[in-house]
Amino acid sequence: MGLFDSIRGEFIDIIEWTDDSRDTIVWRFPRHDNEIKMGAKLVVRESQTAVFVNEGRIADVFQPGTYTLQTQNMPLLSTLKGWKYGFDSPFKAEVYFVTTRQFTDMKWGTQNPVIVRDPEFGMVRLRAFGAYAARVADPAALLRELAGTDPQFRTEEVQEYLRRMIVGKLGSALATSGVPMLDLATQQEAIGVRLAGVLTEELKPVGIAVPTFVIENISLPPEVEQAIDTRSRMGIAGNLDQYTQFQAADALAAGASTPGSGVGEGMGLGLGMAAGQRMAAGLTPQPQPTAPAPAASPAPSAGPPPLPVEEQWFIGVDGTQQGPYDRAALAGLVSAGTVARTTLIWKEGMSGWLSAGQVPDVSGLFGAVPPPLPPQA
């Protein structure tokens, strides 16, 4: 910086900051040799605070408004001392602008699973991720503990520190919540609110607050998710035997659809064997369960005897066996002339075929047949 620039720095000026970076937390106002002269105007906008550092010590914190600064560096005195010290004034003053708005684009996530004890599944490993909002609650503490003399302190310089703090508190928050793993989705908002309060209290010494903490998702290891899916399918199937048969059928169908796997041939053989076993079981008489003896009751009255079995007759007509016929049908054949006395006839119990006129049970049917009509004139 040239001579005229240093002289220009001796005049009263306006100190202000308009942020267009969206990620700057602390910004130091640039001045020649960090000299802030008495009478300079300080403009602090909404969502900002200004920390005035005089001679290496935090002198004051200014809230939004316009202020006139009073320091030991009066313009005339500073100029006179500047000639003596080569314009290197020993009276130094700095202004740090601190953003107090919320930084809402902060992300967090667990790089490694958090192990918790679940009342139903025992020890499980959980992964989680989400977002949070952070803001500066105590600018002076932030300068002392984190920012220091950094001329431009950004969110990326503190984000990893906050993420580790969050992950460190997440495990204890989930473990002490008393919420079963399967119900965590319904309690994510409540757990997030509680974590926001815990983190704000923990970060109080460094001047940072966490007004909002959001848990977007809590996930399980893949093998645990598969076990839960299997358990859900079992609950839907209802019957464990049916579910096992269903799984076996799925496996056989998948194998049969794979060419050259040999599962299709084996499945066909197995089905054939199963069909044969079922057929044999159907042909084999199955023992009937023994019913308990009924209670004593009055003896039922005797029913009618079974009906007699009808006789079955066979006849021989032109060398052809016909029948069987019952007695009424046989009488009809006799009346029609189909059966004559010479017609061969047989029924069960006879030693062989006989002429109908020789069988006493049938010969009586011919007596009822009228003689042939006499010849007509």
Side-chain angles (χ1 to χ4, degrees):
M1 182 174 291
L3 176 63
F4 290 101
D5 291 332
S6 62
I7 295 175
R8 189 181 301 113
E10 305 298 326
F11 295 99
I12 298 174
D13 49 15
I14 298 177
I15 303 171
E16 61 181 353
W17 175 48
T18 55
D19 181 20
D20 57 357
S21 65
R22 304 300 299 171
D23 64 346
T24 302
I25 302 177
V26 179
W27 182 78
R28 185 176 64 193
F29 184 79
R31 291 291 289 122
H32 172 60
D33 290 339
N34 294 334
E35 294 179 353
I36 302 299
K37 305 300 182 291
M38 185 177 64
K41 298 294 182 179
L42 173 65
V43 179
V44 183
R45 291 175 170 81
E46 294 290 344
S47 76
Q48 296 177 349
T49 57
V51 180
F52 181 63
V53 178
N54 184 31
E55 297 185 358
R57 300 174 62 88
I58 296 178
D60 204 351
V61 177
F62 297 89
Q63 301 300 323
T66 301
Y67 305 89
T68 300
L69 299 181
Q70 300 291 335
T71 72
Q72 297 182 25
N73 282 358
M74 293 181 294
L76 182 59
L77 183 59
S78 175
T79 301
L80 294 176
K81 290 184 176 181
W83 285 107
K84 181 179 180 181
Y85 296 101
F87 287 98
D88 186 13
S89 173
F91 300 99
K92 304 295 183 180
E94 302 168 328
V95 173
Y96 290 87
F97 286 92
V98 180
T99 303
T100 57
R101 67 174 180 86
Q102 294 188 28
F103 294 90
T104 57
D105 56 347
M106 312 286 279
K107 304 292 183 180
W108 66 272
T110 55
Q111 293 182 351
N112 298 313
V114 178
I115 300 177
V116 299
R117 186 183 299 276
D118 186 77
E120 185 173 359
F121 292 92
M123 288 188 297
V124 293
R125 294 177 292 121
L126 301 178
R127 292 183 180 271
F129 64 87
Y132 66 97
R135 66 178 182 85
V136 177
D138 188 346
L142 179 71
L143 284 178
R144 283 192 295 262
E145 302 295 334
L146 292 180
T149 58
D150 191 343
Q152 190 171 11
F153 186 69
R154 298 177 178 271
T155 55
E156 61 184 15
E157 300 179 56
V158 73
Q159 194 164 3
E160 180 62 21
Y161 168 74
L162 295 178
R163 191 196 66 80
R164 293 178 182 177
M165 185 72 67
I166 290 170
V167 174
K169 297 298 180 182
L170 180 65
S172 60
L174 294 176
T176 59
S177 64
V179 180
M181 182 185 63
L182 297 180
D183 298 331
L184 282 176
T186 63
Q187 300 295 324
Q188 287 181 183
E189 183 177 357
I191 296 175
V193 172
R194 186 170 64 179
L195 270 174
V198 172
L199 291 171
T200 297
E201 187 65 25
E202 189 74 17
L203 295 171
K204 189 176 181 179
V206 297
I208 297 178
V210 179
T212 305
F213 189 88
V214 178
I215 301 176
E216 296 182 11
N217 182 53
I218 299 177
S219 60
L220 300 168
E223 59 273 13
V224 179
E225 292 181 350
Q226 293 177 2
I228 293 177
D229 292 341
T230 302
R231 183 171 179 177
S232 300
R233 295 181 66 187
M234 290 175 60
I236 295 174
N239 188 292
L240 183 58
D241 293 336
Q242 293 179 357
Y243 179 73
T244 304
Q245 296 173 5
F246 174 73
Q247 279 191 323
D250 279 350
L252 288 174
S257 63
T258 304
S261 63
V263 179
E265 293 82 354
M267 183 173 66
L269 179 60
L271 291 176
M273 294 177 61
Q277 292 175 356
R278 291 189 178 182
M279 184 179 295
L283 295 176
T284 304
Q286 299 297 324
Q288 300 296 327
T290 303
S297 60
S301 60
L307 294 173
V309 179
E310 289 286 341
E311 297 176 347
Q312 301 294 319
W313 295 91
F314 295 87
I315 63 175
V317 178
D318 297 331
T320 303
Q321 174 183 316
Q322 298 180 5
Y325 304 104
D326 58 12
R327 190 170 182 78
L330 184 61
L333 294 175
V334 172
S335 300
T338 304
V339 176
R341 290 181 181 273
T342 58
T343 302
L344 294 178
I345 193 169
W346 180 88
K347 73 169 183 176
E348 187 178 359
M350 295 174 57
S351 59
W353 291 85
L354 294 174
S355 299
Q358 296 178 349
V359 180
D361 294 340
V362 180
S363 61
L365 298 176
F366 294 100
V369 177
L373 294 173
Q376 303 294 320

